Amino acid sequence: TDAQLNNASAYFDLGPRQVPSSGIYHYFSTRNNAFSNRDQKARMIVQPFDFIYRLIDQNADEIRLNNAILSFPANSLSTSTVIKLSHLTREQISEILTKNGQNIVAKESLYDSGYIIEPYDLNFVQYIKFQIPVEQIDHSENVNILQFEPTGGIYTSLANSQTKNYLNFQTNRGGVYVFVKPKSNLAWIAAVVIPIVLVIIIILSTIAFFYKNPRQYRKLKTRCTKTQRSFKMRI
């Protein structure tokens, strides 16, 4: 037997393996991880969403992920920085907001697409441009864009414009970017119309009641007259 693999080949191909779920997976070499003089260990982080790392320096550059484009003009950073861009679903974005105590935006009002620029607290010297494919927002022409920094817990609403294929906006900060569906006008209309309708129904019902019961109307009128006289006498 060769327990220490002294006669083993220097190369071993395990072949591709499918990771069953997201998480942190640790691995090491049983041959080279000799604690006395060397250490060969590593870990693999599997995240349940698409992301990309890119080193951005003072030159103009861009990051592309799932057809979205993040454009950096020249000198947008004071020093070279590794930028991580992630693309998340509605469910994943909602979990991030909930973990950070942010319940301002309901999950149902989010489009099924959101992005994260890391580091969260990164401030760009110049504004960078974000282009989101319109199919990720269901080709809607009315979208609210909110920028959220988990460490600060503050939302910022961003102005945006649309071309044929992209939703365009600019930002000068890292953080979470969510796309919110516009509020329906039906709720506001209902809040105004329903009370008015109820008042009209009450008035019409009162008129109909006294029309069918004139004696009750005369009694009410008499009571009102007596009450009015009583107030005048007290004054």
Side-chain angles (χ1 to χ4, degrees):
T1 61
D2 187 12
Q4 295 186 349
L5 302 177
N6 290 322
N7 298 316
S9 171
Y11 176 76
F12 172 70
D13 184 4
L14 180 64
R17 291 291 184 271
Q18 183 176 0
V19 178
S21 61
S22 60
I24 301 177
Y25 296 84
H26 299 270
Y27 61 96
F28 68 96
S29 170
T30 56
R31 167 60 181 171
N32 294 332
N33 193 52
F35 302 104
S36 60
N37 60 358
R38 58 186 180 271
D39 186 6
Q40 188 175 15
K41 296 182 292 185
R43 66 175 181 172
M44 179 172 59
I45 302 175
V46 180
Q47 295 181 319
F49 49 80
D50 295 331
F51 63 92
I52 185 172
Y53 286 95
R54 189 174 182 86
L55 177 64
I56 304 297
D57 54 23
Q58 284 72 42
N59 297 316
D61 207 341
E62 66 179 26
I63 301 177
R64 292 176 177 262
L65 178 64
N66 294 342
N67 296 322
I69 306 173
L70 187 59
S71 302
F72 300 84
N75 300 313
S76 57
L77 288 167
S78 56
T79 59
S80 298
T81 305
V82 175
I83 303 295
K84 179 183 178 183
L85 178 63
S86 305
H87 183 204
L88 288 76
T89 65
R90 178 193 296 113
E91 293 289 339
Q92 293 164 340
I93 286 289
S94 179
E95 289 180 6
I96 291 176
L97 300 182
T98 302
K99 287 180 180 178
N100 289 275
Q102 299 298 317
N103 298 316
I104 299 175
V105 181
K107 180 175 67 175
E108 295 75 17
S109 66
L110 295 173
Y111 285 100
D112 196 20
S113 181
Y115 287 86
I116 300 178
I117 300 175
E118 297 179 76
Y120 290 127
D121 57 353
L122 181 63
N123 291 317
F124 297 98
V125 178
Q126 298 189 49
Y127 278 86
I128 60 175
K129 183 179 181 181
F130 221 145
Q131 295 175 276
I132 306 299
V134 292
E135 57 265 22
Q136 293 184 9
I137 54 170
D138 301 334
H139 296 270
S140 175
E141 296 181 356
N142 188 6
V143 180
N144 297 320
I145 302 176
L146 297 179
Q147 185 270 346
F148 167 67
E149 184 184 344
T151 56
I154 300 175
Y155 279 100
T156 302
S157 180
L158 302 178
N160 65 86
S161 62
Q162 285 196 32
T163 57
K164 181 179 179 180
N165 298 317
Y166 289 99
L167 170 69
N168 307 289
F169 63 95
Q170 293 183 325
T171 181
N172 63 346
R173 301 170 61 188
V176 181
Y177 292 82
V178 297
F179 310 111
V180 184
K181 300 176 182 179
K183 293 182 179 179
S184 173
N185 292 328
L186 294 177
W188 292 99
I189 294 174
V192 174
V193 172
I194 291 177
I196 294 176
V197 172
L198 291 176
V199 171
I200 293 174
I201 291 175
I202 293 173
I203 293 174
L204 293 177
S205 299
T206 303
I207 294 173
F209 173 78
F210 286 123
Y211 180 79
K212 293 181 178 180
N213 301 276
R215 183 177 297 178
Q216 296 294 331
Y217 173 73
R218 287 193 292 270
K219 287 183 179 180
L220 178 62
K221 185 177 180 181
T222 301
R223 289 177 184 174
C224 291
T225 302
K226 290 181 179 180
T227 302
Q228 184 179 9
R229 290 175 181 174
S230 176
F231 276 119
K232 287 182 178 180
M233 291 177 64
R234 291 181 181 180
I235 295 174

